[in-house]
Amino acid sequence: MKKKTVTAASLAGYLLWAAAWTSCTGGSETRPNSTALRDLTRYVDPYIGTGDHGHVFLGASVPFGLVQLGPTGSGRGWDWCSGYHFSDTTVVGFGHMHLSGTGIGDLGDIAFLPAVGDVALRRGEPDRPDSGLCSTFRRSTEKVKPGYYAVHLDRFGIDVELTATRRTGFHKYTFPRSDRAQVIIDLENGIGWDRVEDGMVDRVNDTTVSGYRHSTGWAADQRIYFTAVFSRPMKNFSFSGERTAPFAQIFFDTEEGAEIYVKVALSPVSVENARLNLETELPGWDFDGTVAAADSAWNSELNRVDFRTADHRTERIFYTALYHTMIAPSEFCDVNGDRRGTDRTVHRAAPFTNYTTFSLWDTYRAAHPLITLLHPEKVPDIINSMLTIYREQGKLPVWHLMANETDCMVGNPGIPVVADAILKDFGGFDRELAFEAMKQSALLDERGQHWMRQYGYIPFDLENESVAKTLEYALADWCVAQVARKMGKTEEAEYFLRLSKGYTHLFDSSTGFMRGRDSLGNFRTPFDPFHSVHRENDYTEGTAWQYTWLVPQDVEGLVALFGSREAFVRKLDSLFTVSGDMGAEASPDISGLIGQYAHGNEPGHHIPYLYACTGEPEKTALRVRQVMNELYTDRPAGLCGNEDVGQMSAWYVLSALGFYQVEPAGGRYFFGSPLMDEATLRTGNGKTFRITVKNNGRERPFVRSVILNGKPHDKPYIDHRDLAAGGELVFEMSDSGK
């Protein structure tokens, strides 16, 4: 097929058509004002976070889309959770679904690999790329930008280009001359963390195949269906292996430079719906036009923040971070609204856009508050998705993946997200149902929650990770109490507020740390605040040094435990300066250390802002600037820990703008130290909020004064309602903290 060219008329028509199909039937979607949009995708470097332990996705996608189409390497292990790592220069396939930044691997589903010659239908080994499905590549041939990925496969001499819409992947392969050119569909391997239970590829006609993959892994019962259409008729089709090891080969004769295009649509529901998604989202063959549409979609979303600074490195880090916050949560429904539920049944024509990939233990802290600020139109659909999960599984999601509850991580992290939406006065969902979901989720007799009601805390002799669980449940209970109070439910408010004080039982005033306590009230001994073991520990991916501060919902109460504000601040100062041995079995997630402050893991993300909460804003400014300048870079190893589905990047986005939501719900954003000269936030409904930073610079990190809408602002925070309403905030910076 000849390469398609894009005319102004065809591209304009494509973009108008694409805009009409931006979400599932019944969902809402608004875009920022399209006037004077900047070209911001040029600042995005998708390689940031692909090295070290960032675990980010690299490939082609559109914002919040189901399809993340990109390469899967032959490497296995923790640093290949997304399927790609910068240290690897092998490809075993181009899968249509990936995770971004997680600490556990899954997906890589429906992998395609173009090839020539005889290829063994098994996963190739890194040290022997010719042992199966595998090819080496040179980094110099990779090209990647939002919505587009390209690479040359050295083993086969094939150029690969990829782009995507929300539910479809679009492949372009340029082949050498061959009478045995082929496209292999690998339904067995994924990224190597799951196991296929059943898979099939059927030939529909001479240009179309369809099939499905059912697998078990982190998502215990994952089902995905697809339809693939080729741009030229196939010479032959072969399906090999058992249904638990399914491969298909589609053969062609190719001349030198032959271009073969493949359009692949996914559906969580059925092959028929995959075909409908394809016909709706990608009816033509304009590859360049689809690349341009993907770039336009990313530009539209990135322009929700017009962030300006003379430091282009900072702009690259900022816009790459903003890009990372919009890979997930992902739409998990078809264009007609059909979706697969947690109850393992198909639900037709949902009246909202259904989402999945809720890494809530991470994202309730900053990524979801950022959505309420920059993507308010998505909040009702996200909450409706979570309430639907509640109806189908009896509790709010914990870590939800492709219609499966993984129960990964501790606490009740869905509660703060729902509470935040209610406390910020979002509509579009049933508030009574939302309160019921929060209340019932908090009262379940599972995952140690019943011990909270019996003892007021979780005893370490009855439950593993007792300190982390107590603190997370107390935090969530506080959120329930705040919503109950807002809704006039006095009895429930008082009950959950009492439960939220559970953290007080674990504070040891003699050491100044949160410690494990048994069912008789005795603290665990011996005690070492530096020591951490990966399993059978009182803490989750942390130590007493990090977890002592996990009371963002009641900073005043935490300060009171130390006896005075001065004692609290002295202890907080020491967090950033002490050093000690965490032990050989310490979790690798305890990373990004400044003293014992661990920015590479989420429970500590609010800690630098505790100074601002207690009258020491200059110390918040210094520590926030230190984290942004030292622990975020524009290199592949530019993240100091797992990206965790947008949380690590959301912290940077909010902090670079000059504020951060410390409390888990409610919308008080405490000031820190803005990095830019000016920024304009498009906060929905045609509203804009402008931030001007005067006298800023590396040597002037301190906020000297704040003016909100022309009037002096003496609070250490700004309310969500002020940001959402539009207006202007002026920071004046200084080289002195006093």
Side-chain angles (χ1 to χ4, degrees):
M1 171 176 284
K2 297 290 185 182
K3 181 178 179 180
K4 295 275 189 176
T5 58
V6 185
T7 65
S10 68
L11 179 55
Y14 182 90
L15 294 178
L16 285 171
W17 162 82
W21 289 99
T22 54
S23 61
C24 305
T25 299
S28 60
E29 181 78 8
T30 60
R31 293 178 177 270
N33 190 332
S34 61
T35 60
L37 294 186
R38 295 172 64 199
D39 178 13
L40 296 178
T41 54
R42 65 194 175 105
Y43 291 113
V44 175
D45 182 356
Y47 282 120
I48 295 176
T50 60
D52 199 39
H53 306 310
H55 297 181
V56 302
F57 161 70
L58 187 88
S61 66
V62 296
F64 306 103
L66 170 65
V67 166
Q68 292 101 31
L69 174 57
T72 297
S74 62
R76 297 175 185 262
W78 193 53
D79 281 331
W80 278 261
C81 287
S82 73
Y84 183 96
H85 194 265
F86 192 77
S87 64
D88 190 3
T89 53
T90 62
V91 174
V92 300
F94 299 95
H96 287 78
M97 304 170 74
H98 289 86
L99 293 168
S100 186
T102 57
I104 300 177
D106 205 334
L107 306 185
D109 295 66
I110 320 299
F112 279 50
L113 182 69
V116 296
D118 294 327
V119 182
L121 297 181
R122 59 177 178 267
R123 187 185 182 99
E125 298 300 325
D127 56 345
R128 293 193 305 118
D130 61 350
S131 61
L133 302 178
C134 192
S135 174
T136 57
F137 69 89
R138 286 159 289 139
R139 189 78 60 199
S140 61
T141 70
E142 268 191 323
K143 296 179 182 178
V144 58
K145 63 180 183 178
Y148 177 80
Y149 175 86
V151 72
H152 180 78
L153 301 181
D154 291 336
R155 176 184 174 188
F156 304 119
I158 297 171
D159 288 326
V160 175
E161 297 177 69
L162 309 172
T163 189
T165 70
R166 292 191 179 221
R167 299 169 185 83
T168 70
F170 201 174
H171 307 236
K172 175 186 175 183
Y173 306 139
T174 303
F175 281 87
R177 179 182 298 277
S178 176
D179 61 0
R180 198 166 172 77
Q182 60 188 288
V183 176
I184 300 167
I185 303 176
D186 176 5
L187 301 186
E188 179 183 6
N189 288 293
I191 68 166
W193 287 61
D194 64 353
R195 180 181 74 253
V196 66
E197 296 287 333
D198 186 16
M200 177 56 67
V201 183
D202 291 317
R203 175 174 177 168
V204 178
N205 55 44
D206 63 354
T207 59
T208 305
V209 298
S210 293
Y212 61 86
R213 184 178 192 261
H214 299 170
S215 60
T216 184
W218 194 14
D221 182 10
Q222 189 203 346
R223 297 167 184 256
I224 196 74
Y225 302 83
F226 74 95
T227 288
V229 180
F230 294 82
S231 60
R232 65 164 65 182
M234 62 187 79
K235 180 176 72 173
N236 194 17
F237 169 85
S238 173
F239 180 77
S240 304
E242 302 296 329
R243 290 200 171 200
T244 55
F247 296 90
Q249 294 169 282
I250 295 89
F251 293 96
F252 304 91
D253 289 331
T254 55
E255 64 279 9
E256 183 69 30
E259 295 175 351
I260 296 179
Y261 297 79
V262 192
K263 300 185 297 184
V264 184
L266 303 186
S267 165
V269 171
S270 67
V271 165
E272 292 74 21
N273 273 20
R275 186 177 303 117
L276 175 64
N277 292 339
L278 182 63
E279 293 169 350
T280 303
E281 289 194 354
L282 199 57
W285 291 95
D286 192 343
F287 184 85
D288 291 347
T290 309
V291 173
D295 182 82
S296 177
W298 279 112
N299 250 327
S300 180
E301 298 297 343
L302 293 170
N303 268 276
R304 290 178 186 257
V305 183
D306 187 351
F307 181 95
R308 295 177 184 258
T309 173
D311 183 354
H312 294 309
R313 173 183 174 274
T314 296
E315 287 184 313
R316 285 195 297 275
I317 297 171
F318 180 88
Y319 279 112
T320 303
L322 188 57
Y323 164 79
H324 282 148
T325 68
M326 295 185 285
I327 293 175
S330 307
E331 291 190 10
F332 195 60
C333 54
D334 296 320
V335 294
N336 61 3
D338 292 355
R339 63 177 184 85
R340 179 171 298 279
T342 310
D343 56 3
R344 305 290 185 263
T345 63
V346 171
H347 301 265
R348 302 294 180 185
F352 62 92
T353 300
N354 190 51
Y355 285 92
T356 189
T357 315
F358 289 120
S359 180
L360 294 166
W361 184 81
D362 309 291
T363 56
Y364 83 75
R365 306 169 200 269
H368 278 280
L370 184 66
I371 289 173
T372 68
L373 186 59
L374 298 183
H375 297 93
E377 79 286 346
K378 295 189 181 299
V379 173
D381 288 336
I382 288 173
I383 301 302
N384 280 314
S385 298
M386 295 174 69
L387 296 181
T388 297
I389 291 169
Y390 160 70
R391 286 196 299 263
E392 293 173 354
Q393 69 177 24
K395 65 181 180 183
L396 286 170
V398 178
W399 211 123
H400 221 258
L401 179 62
M402 307 298 163
N404 286 262
E405 181 57 75
T406 71
D407 275 325
C408 189
M409 308 311 293
V410 299
N412 261 323
I415 287 177
V417 176
V418 177
D420 199 35
I422 295 174
L423 296 176
K424 290 175 178 173
D425 291 320
F426 279 92
F429 57 90
D430 185 335
R431 287 196 177 192
E432 288 295 335
L433 177 63
F435 181 76
E436 174 195 312
M438 289 188 290
K439 178 179 176 180
Q440 294 304 317
S441 297
L443 294 176
L444 291 174
D445 290 335
E446 66 169 34
R447 303 169 66 241
Q449 291 186 87
H450 54 296
W451 303 127
M452 289 286 288
R453 297 191 293 277
Q454 182 173 343
Y455 293 93
Y457 63 96
I458 299 177
F460 72 77
D461 55 331
L462 301 178
E463 189 81 20
N464 191 31
E465 300 175 300
S466 61
V467 175
K469 289 178 179 177
T470 296
L471 298 176
E472 290 284 0
Y473 285 138
L475 180 154
D477 290 337
W478 178 89
C479 293
V480 180
Q482 303 311 303
V483 172
R485 178 180 297 166
K486 182 180 180 70
M487 297 177 68
K489 301 178 185 293
T490 304
E491 184 177 345
E492 287 99 329
E494 293 176 352
Y495 174 77
F496 283 102
L497 193 60
R498 286 196 301 272
L499 279 181
S500 76
K501 299 295 183 179
Y503 71 90
T504 63
H505 296 288
L506 300 186
F507 185 78
D508 175 14
S509 59
S510 68
T511 62
F513 289 103
M514 297 286 180
R515 294 177 57 181
R517 203 166 197 164
D518 67 17
S519 54
L520 297 177
N522 302 308
F523 285 115
R524 183 192 288 274
T525 56
F527 171 68
D528 180 353
F530 294 98
H531 190 65
S532 169
V533 295
H534 194 45
R535 295 177 176 84
E536 296 182 1
N537 190 21
D538 292 337
Y539 309 95
T540 301
E541 301 176 356
T543 70
W545 271 109
Q546 290 102 44
Y547 270 91
T548 292
W549 315 98
L550 189 56
V551 192
Q553 76 279 12
D554 187 13
V555 177
E556 289 184 4
L558 180 60
V559 170
L561 293 178
F562 282 88
S564 69
R565 188 186 69 84
E566 292 74 19
F568 174 87
V569 172
R570 283 196 302 271
K571 187 74 170 187
L572 188 54
D573 287 343
S574 67
L575 170 70
F576 292 93
T577 59
V578 298
S579 60
D581 182 8
M582 291 187 293
E585 297 182 41
S587 167
D589 291 287
I590 310 174
S591 60
L593 290 173
I594 300 174
Q596 286 297 292
Y597 170 70
H599 190 74
N601 213 17
E602 282 65 28
H605 276 187
H606 68 289
I607 292 176
Y609 288 90
L610 292 178
Y611 288 117
C613 298
T614 54
E616 301 272 0
E618 69 281 354
K619 291 186 176 181
T620 285
L622 284 175
R623 291 306 180 187
V624 167
R625 278 286 179 105
Q626 181 181 12
V627 171
M628 289 190 289
N629 290 334
E630 295 179 7
L631 299 181
Y632 291 85
T633 76
D634 60 349
R635 310 302 298 168
L639 295 173
C640 64
N642 302 160
E643 163 64 14
D644 283 313
V645 196
Q647 169 61 26
M648 191 73 71
S649 290
W651 186 96
Y652 185 90
V653 169
L654 287 169
S655 295
L657 291 171
F659 42 73
Y660 187 85
Q661 180 171 298
V662 175
E663 294 154 331
R668 294 202 302 177
Y669 299 82
F670 282 81
F671 297 130
S673 183
L675 286 184
M676 72 291 178
D677 299 317
E678 59 181 290
T680 300
L681 282 58
R682 295 177 169 92
T683 58
N685 298 316
K687 303 290 186 180
T688 59
F689 190 88
R690 181 178 175 83
I691 305 171
T692 302
V693 187
K694 296 182 178 180
N695 200 36
N696 203 3
R698 183 173 288 271
E699 304 304 320
R700 295 183 293 276
F702 305 108
V703 176
R704 179 179 180 182
S705 66
V706 179
I707 297 175
L708 176 61
N709 296 330
K711 298 179 180 180
H713 186 74
D714 58 2
K715 295 178 180 179
Y717 60 85
I718 184 171
D719 285 308
H720 178 85
R721 62 176 178 270
D722 291 323
L723 292 166
E728 184 176 22
L729 186 71
V730 179
F731 291 107
E732 183 166 352
M733 309 302 289
S734 171
D735 61 0
S736 173
K738 297 295 185 180

